């Protein structure tokens, strides 16, 4: 299972502090004028690493282009290696899509189960990589290599490299403004659904419904967003403000990341970004039928308990928990190959929804909430997901759209 956001935040903070301490010691001890140690940079909280390409256009770094690096890896949750390969590829590519970049190459890390003979190992590996390549080839992302090994469980992941020509067009987690609409492109509930499936307590039709969405790439939604933004030269006038993909931390966890991303951040002109919170319309959120049934049967994903710690961000947690006893827990459900989550200016929201629906490939897309002003910022410093501080407490309010 994926490491929870609380644990991950503490680990990254501890490693960063150690690197800073070690770097400071090295700089103090160094007397040379060449190759002095540099102070380490904090890991950027966006969905993928951004590596600027130097010297392409001197004096205009935005036009130099950038490489986008991301990686994902997880064990199989279904018995069909071909379909699992497709899901793993969609999941890995989503970080590039969330940032508006074009995936170019992928390296695979494949683990096949110990088998009685080589032919079984070979057959499983062929099926898994064939499924993955169907997705990668459709996006013109070349599988250029990788590593394989045997292990206790079938697993697959990819390190994906993407590219964007104009860095200013990148979609980031930060950038939302008060009044923006919150748009989700895929139904949620895969974590609970497959937890139920592993217990043989999920209908086949519900598994099929989930897999149909999980093998559907987020590329179309990403391209629609980039097309709408591409006509505007000024970042401040672009209607698609920001984006992330909804995966292991669940809808609440990833939404909270986007809200917090504005704290202490500035726009392209150096002005502070608005401090934002969100009202979520639970009746507008698309849920998988199998996810609903799983929660009704008291079944949750193994990561649900960790994700549920983010409930401190919900100002009306007790009310929401009792008022929406089935749907509310699914807001914390970890997703595999989930959809994209956008903050969109209300003036272009309807056009964006229409554009997505006309493709016929984003049937679940829905406006699930709206951004509000947030003034309960803790001045003691930036807060990480999972920590107890003013930056992420009472940041969300769960209601029905007609409340």
């Amino acid at each position: 299972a994926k490491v929870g956001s609380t644990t991950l935040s503490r680990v990254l903070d501890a490693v960063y502090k150690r690197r800073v301490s070690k770097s400071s010691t090295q700089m103090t001890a160094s007397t040379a004028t060449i190759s002095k140690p540099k102070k380490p940079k904090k890991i950027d909280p966006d969905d993928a690493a951004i590596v600027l390409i130097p010297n392409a256009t001197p004096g205009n770094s935005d036009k130099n282009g950038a490489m986008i690096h991301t990686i994902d890896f997880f064990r199989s949750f279904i018995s069909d290696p071909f379909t699992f390969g497709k899901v793993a590829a969609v999941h890995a590519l989503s970080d590039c899509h969330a940032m508006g970049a074009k995936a170019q190459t992928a390296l695979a890390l494949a683990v096949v189960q110990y088998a009685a003979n080589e032919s079984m190992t070979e057959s499983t590996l062929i099926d898994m990589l064939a499924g993955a390549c169907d997705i990668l080839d459709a996006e013109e992302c070349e599988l250029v290599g990788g590593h394989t090994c045997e292990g206790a469980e079938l697993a697959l992941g990819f390190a994906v490299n993407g590219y964007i020509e104009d860095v200013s067009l990148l979609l980031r987690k930060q950038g939302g403004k008060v009044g923006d609409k919150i748009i989700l492109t895929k139904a949620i509930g895969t974590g609970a659904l497959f937890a139920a499936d592993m217990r043989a307590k999920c209908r086949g039709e519900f598994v099929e419904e989930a897999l149909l969405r999980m093998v559907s790439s987020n590329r179309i939604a990403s391209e629609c967003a980039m097309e709408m933004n591409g006509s505007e030269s000024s970042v401040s006038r672009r209607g698609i403000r920001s984006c992330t993909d909804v995966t292991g931390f669940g809808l609440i966890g990833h939404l909270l990341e986007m809200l917090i991303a504005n704290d202490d951040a500035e726009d392209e002109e150096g002005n502070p970004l608005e401090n934002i919170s969100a009202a979520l319309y639970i009746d507008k959120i698309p849920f998988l039928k199998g996810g609903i049934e799983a929660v009704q049967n008291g079944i949750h994903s193994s990561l649900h308990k960790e994700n549920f710690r983010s409930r401190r961000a919900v100002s009306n947690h007790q009310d929401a928990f009792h008022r929406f006893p089935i749907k509310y827990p699914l807001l914390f459900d970890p997703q595999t190959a989930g959809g994209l989550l956008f903050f969109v200016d209300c003036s272009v929201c309807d056009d964006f929804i229409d554009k997505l629906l006309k493709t016929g490939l984003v049937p679940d897309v829905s406006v699930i909430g709206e951004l509000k002003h947030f003034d309960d910022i803790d001045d003691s410093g930036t807060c990480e997901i999972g920590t107890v501080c003013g930056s992420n407490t009472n940041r969300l309010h769960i209601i029905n759209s007609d409340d």
Side-chain angles (χ1 to χ4, degrees):
K2 184 173 182 176
V3 174
S5 59
T6 306
T7 303
L8 183 59
S9 293
R10 290 198 300 265
V11 168
L12 292 177
D13 187 56
V15 171
Y16 173 71
K17 288 177 179 177
R18 181 183 181 276
R19 292 178 66 208
V20 170
S21 176
K22 187 175 180 181
S23 174
S24 299
T25 302
Q26 290 173 339
M27 283 189 275
T28 301
S30 176
T31 56
T33 57
I34 302 176
S35 301
K36 283 190 175 182
K38 295 181 179 179
K39 182 178 179 180
K41 295 181 179 179
K42 268 201 169 185
I43 295 177
D44 194 298
D46 271 306
D47 289 301
I50 304 167
V51 181
L52 298 177
I53 298 174
N55 304 323
T57 307
N60 191 348
S61 59
D62 279 351
K63 301 301 181 182
N64 288 355
M67 296 300 297
I68 308 300
H69 301 297
T70 182
I71 186 169
D72 265 300
F73 177 84
F74 55 94
R75 64 190 182 187
S76 181
F77 51 91
I78 52 176
S79 58
D80 177 8
F82 181 79
T83 301
F84 172 59
K86 285 189 169 187
V87 173
V90 168
H91 188 88
L93 290 166
S94 286
D95 285 333
C96 273
H97 297 144
M99 300 195 74
K102 167 69 174 68
Q104 293 193 313
T105 63
L107 292 168
L109 175 58
V111 181
V112 291
Q113 292 168 296
Y114 298 112
N117 55 63
E118 286 186 4
S119 63
M120 292 176 66
T121 299
E122 182 178 334
S123 175
T124 299
L125 195 56
I126 288 174
D127 286 346
M128 187 164 63
L129 292 180
C133 283
D134 278 2
I135 299 295
L136 296 174
D137 290 346
E139 304 211 6
E140 298 181 347
C141 177
E142 192 73 23
L143 180 64
V144 293
H147 179 77
T148 58
C149 57
E150 291 182 298
E153 296 180 288
L154 191 69
L156 181 63
F158 296 93
V160 177
N161 290 330
Y163 175 76
I164 189 163
E165 186 174 351
D166 186 347
V167 180
S168 72
L169 289 173
L170 277 173
L171 292 170
R172 314 289 289 266
K173 290 180 181 178
Q174 69 183 48
K177 295 184 178 182
V178 173
D180 284 355
K181 301 299 182 180
I182 305 170
I183 292 176
L184 178 65
T185 64
K186 283 188 185 181
I188 61 173
T190 61
L193 185 153
F194 283 100
D197 185 50
M198 290 175 185
R199 296 167 173 81
K201 292 185 177 180
C202 184
R203 303 182 201 180
E205 63 191 273
F206 291 167
V207 173
E208 185 177 355
E209 176 193 38
L211 289 174
L212 184 64
R213 284 156 175 77
M214 294 167 79
V215 300
S216 176
S217 171
N218 285 316
R219 176 176 61 89
I220 296 299
S222 177
E223 289 180 351
C224 286
M226 296 301 286
E227 286 172 8
M228 291 196 69
N229 275 355
S231 60
E232 286 289 352
S233 59
S234 172
V235 174
S236 62
R237 290 200 298 268
R238 291 172 188 160
I240 315 298
R241 311 269 199 207
S242 49
C243 181
T244 192
D245 59 331
V246 180
T247 51
F249 298 151
L251 176 60
I252 290 288
H254 289 288
L255 174 57
L256 193 53
E257 285 183 324
M258 295 178 75
L259 299 175
I260 292 174
N262 268 23
D263 298 354
D264 301 318
E266 298 178 342
D267 63 19
E268 60 178 339
E269 298 174 352
N271 301 311
L273 293 178
E274 295 177 328
N275 296 323
I276 50 177
S277 62
L280 277 185
Y281 309 141
I282 200 165
D283 58 318
K284 296 297 184 181
I285 296 172
F287 293 95
L288 292 168
K289 296 174 184 176
I292 294 289
E293 183 183 65
V295 176
Q296 287 174 334
N297 292 329
I299 300 173
H300 300 280
S301 164
S302 59
L303 190 55
H304 182 269
K305 182 178 179 180
E306 176 75 20
N307 285 354
F308 199 56
R309 293 183 180 182
S310 293
R311 66 187 181 278
R312 62 174 57 92
V314 181
S315 61
N316 63 330
H317 163 67
Q318 290 295 337
D319 175 64
F321 186 80
H322 290 98
R323 190 179 174 193
F324 313 111
I326 304 302
K327 290 184 176 181
Y328 180 62
L330 285 171
L331 303 185
F332 303 88
D333 187 58
Q335 303 304 291
T336 300
L340 298 183
L341 188 65
F342 292 98
F343 291 165
V344 179
D345 188 300
C346 59
S347 67
V348 301
C349 180
D350 289 344
D351 289 342
F352 185 47
I353 293 287
D354 288 345
K355 190 177 183 70
L356 292 173
L357 289 175
K358 284 178 181 177
T359 67
L361 300 172
V362 196
D364 296 331
V365 64
S366 179
V367 178
I368 65 166
E370 184 177 347
L371 297 186
K372 307 289 185 178
H373 180 68
F374 182 69
D375 56 9
D376 190 23
I377 293 293
D378 185 347
D379 293 331
S380 61
T382 301
C383 184
E384 300 291 344
I385 298 291
T387 59
V388 183
C389 67
S391 268
N392 67 359
T393 53
N394 301 322
R395 200 122 196 189
L396 298 164
H397 197 68
I398 312 299
I399 55 176
N400 273 325
S401 57
D402 58 359
D403 286 352

